[in-house]
Amino acid sequence: MSSEAHRQVHRRAHRDGKERDPTFYPVEKKMGEDSLQTWIVELLRPLIERWYSELGRPRFVGADQFIYYRQFDPSKVVAPDVYVLPGVPPGRRVRSWKVWETGIAPSFALEVVSSDEPYKDYVDAPERYRELGVRELVIFDPDWEKGRDRVRWQRYRRLKTRGFVRVETTNVDRIHARVLGCWLRVIGAGEDARLRLATGPEGEELFPTAAEAERAAKEAERAAKEAALERVAVLEAQIASAARASGKGPADRG
């Protein structure tokens, strides 16, 4: 539908005085997805959700839903690989998101460059996210070494004086995401490449997955029990030694 046709639909809807929108907004993609993108998202989305929970600021963290940002025009849409909705609690069911209904646009979005259409994420994505109103966009290209004009990381931010602009490109293994307040870091290579969150001044410490955190808690509990038993054994040995020194063994007490 042309822009003029969209405007006519818009005008008719308002002329009718009805609170309805006749526009059809799809909720499902009709195309396949690179399995590497899927594996990256499946690991990263719950990590970001846990990260916000640990900070005491729980947020909705979604993946691959359509986000529409202009009413009556379904062509104005993005489907981030991962995104964060500020002020929206986790666990909410989202089939698609219409920005004009809530006034809430994602604060952060991540795009993993497609192996089929790599330059779509280099050229089209930044402009669409600019229109959407996202505060920070990170684009990760797992196949960046396949082209001289490709880069592993790109980071865009919305600045007061310059608008939505690219502020960083790098081929190192990590990049700092300001909105998230932590680092995004590549672990593994090729088909084994995954994205993790990391903390520390240089992103040297990996933020654990739920499984890793559970294992660490169990290991800490086991170590604490062993340390307590060792302290009891030492104390008992000290008591026995003191009793022997005073010439009074355990059988002589009482």
Side-chain angles (χ1 to χ4, degrees), residues 124-172:
D124 296 340
E127 175 59 20
R128 287 186 176 273
Y129 282 99
R130 181 194 66 77
E131 292 181 335
L132 170 64
V134 72
R135 287 170 52 199
E136 185 172 48
L137 168 68
V138 173
I139 301 174
F140 170 65
D141 188 347
D143 298 316
W144 64 279
E145 293 177 294
K146 293 183 178 180
R148 292 196 307 174
D149 55 347
R150 296 169 70 170
V151 293
R152 175 179 267 167
W153 297 105
Q154 300 178 75
R155 187 167 69 94
Y156 287 78
R157 276 190 54 77
R158 192 168 301 278
L159 305 178
K160 288 183 179 179
T161 56
R162 298 167 58 199
F164 192 67
V165 294
R166 188 167 66 178
V167 295
E168 185 177 4
T169 62
T170 181
N171 290 328
V172 300

Side-chain angles (χ1 to χ4, degrees), residues 34-47:
D34 188 333
S35 60
L36 180 58
Q37 285 178 286
T38 301
W39 296 331
I40 289 172
V41 171
E42 286 176 345
L43 176 62
L44 185 61
R45 192 208 66 78
L47 271 174

Side-chain angles (χ1 to χ4, degrees), residues 84-248:
V84 176
L85 291 176
V88 180
R92 174 170 173 169
R93 182 179 181 183
V94 173
R95 299 184 69 214
S96 67
W97 188 260
K98 301 179 181 71
V99 172
W100 61 89
E101 292 182 349
T102 62
I104 297 174
S107 56
F108 172 85
L110 172 86
E111 286 286 356
V112 179
V113 175
S114 168
S115 59
D116 295 329
E117 299 180 273
Y119 294 100
K120 168 180 69 69
D121 294 308
Y122 280 80
V123 178
D124 296 340
E127 175 59 20
R128 287 186 176 273
Y129 282 99
R130 181 194 66 77
E131 292 181 335
L132 170 64
V134 72
R135 287 170 52 199
E136 185 172 48
L137 168 68
V138 173
I139 301 174
F140 170 65
D141 188 347
D143 298 316
W144 64 279
E145 293 177 294
K146 293 183 178 180
R148 292 196 307 174
D149 55 347
R150 296 169 70 170
V151 293
R152 175 179 267 167
W153 297 105
Q154 300 178 75
R155 187 167 69 94
Y156 287 78
R157 276 190 54 77
R158 192 168 301 278
L159 305 178
K160 288 183 179 179
T161 56
R162 298 167 58 199
F164 192 67
V165 294
R166 188 167 66 178
V167 295
E168 185 177 4
T169 62
T170 181
N171 290 328
V172 300
D173 68 341
R174 66 199 70 178
I175 194 168
H176 189 263
R178 185 168 178 178
V179 167
L180 297 181
C182 61
W183 296 75
L184 289 165
R185 181 171 156 185
V186 183
I187 302 297
E191 294 182 357
D192 296 322
R194 300 291 184 270
L195 296 186
R196 296 286 302 267
L197 301 186
T199 59
E202 301 298 329
E204 62 273 14
E205 298 180 19
L206 290 180
F207 179 68
T209 64
E212 289 169 346
E214 183 179 0
R215 285 196 298 269
K218 288 181 178 179
E219 177 61 26
E221 183 180 4
R222 183 189 63 78
K225 286 180 179 179
E226 290 180 354
L229 290 173
E230 185 175 344
R231 287 194 297 271
V232 169
V234 170
L235 182 58
E236 288 177 342
Q238 290 173 343
I239 292 172
S241 177
R244 285 194 299 270
S246 65
K248 196 175 189 179

Side-chain angles (χ1 to χ4, degrees), residues 12-121:
R12 282 198 299 271
H14 282 283
R15 230 182 5 248
D16 291 345
K18 298 177 181 178
E19 294 183 1
R20 66 179 183 86
D21 184 345
T23 313
F24 173 65
Y25 302 97
V27 299
E28 294 180 340
K29 294 181 181 180
K30 298 301 182 183
M31 62 187 73
E33 194 170 77
D34 188 333
S35 60
L36 180 58
Q37 285 178 286
T38 301
W39 296 331
I40 289 172
V41 171
E42 286 176 345
L43 176 62
L44 185 61
R45 192 208 66 78
L47 271 174
I48 296 177
E49 190 171 80
R50 283 192 63 250
W51 169 251
Y52 274 114
S53 179
E54 290 288 318
L55 292 176
R57 296 186 279 121
R59 282 164 169 65
F60 180 90
V61 183
D64 294 320
Q65 281 86 31
F66 284 149
I67 299 177
Y68 295 95
Y69 53 90
R70 185 176 299 172
Q71 192 175 15
F72 306 109
D73 189 352
S75 70
K76 298 299 183 179
V77 62
V78 294
D81 288 306
V82 179
Y83 64 95
V84 176
L85 291 176
V88 180
R92 174 170 173 169
R93 182 179 181 183
V94 173
R95 299 184 69 214
S96 67
W97 188 260
K98 301 179 181 71
V99 172
W100 61 89
E101 292 182 349
T102 62
I104 297 174
S107 56
F108 172 85
L110 172 86
E111 286 286 356
V112 179
V113 175
S114 168
S115 59
D116 295 329
E117 299 180 273
Y119 294 100
K120 168 180 69 69
D121 294 308

